[in-house]
Amino acid sequence: GQLSLPSVSLLSPSSEQLSGGSATLACLLSGYSPQGAVVSWEVDGTEVTEGVLSSSEEEKSGRYSSSSTLSLKLERWMKGEQYSCKVLHYGHSQTQTLHRSQCQG
């Protein structure tokens, strides 16, 4: 079958959320085939597993989509700078990174 790599987008926490004292980052995968994409999270180069929630993969006309979120307390979010979502799909790895200092304002 045809191998289609996922399109990956990484969403930073909303300002409303941050003012509420928490931070959730979302990594969205779409348009890939076959299923079996694996998402991992890194903060400043160290893998994080606590606070990670991954959805099941949903199939729509032969393509799959899924998402993974990383939930952090505000203090933890403020301590980190580089947040990365790593996606592994059949030997192909891709990483999306956001810098917290560039998310302010």
Side-chain angles (χ1 to χ4, degrees), residues 2 11-12 27 29 37 52 58 66 74 80 93:
Q2 182 67 35
L11 308 180
S12 56
C27 189
L29 285 59
V52 173
E58 290 181 21
S66 59
L74 187 61
S93 177

Side-chain angles (χ1 to χ4, degrees), residues 12 77 81 97-105:
S12 56
W77 161 252
E81 164 58 19
T97 301
L98 63 85
H99 294 269
R100 183 184 52 77
S101 57
Q102 292 166 13
C103 299
Q104 303 302 311

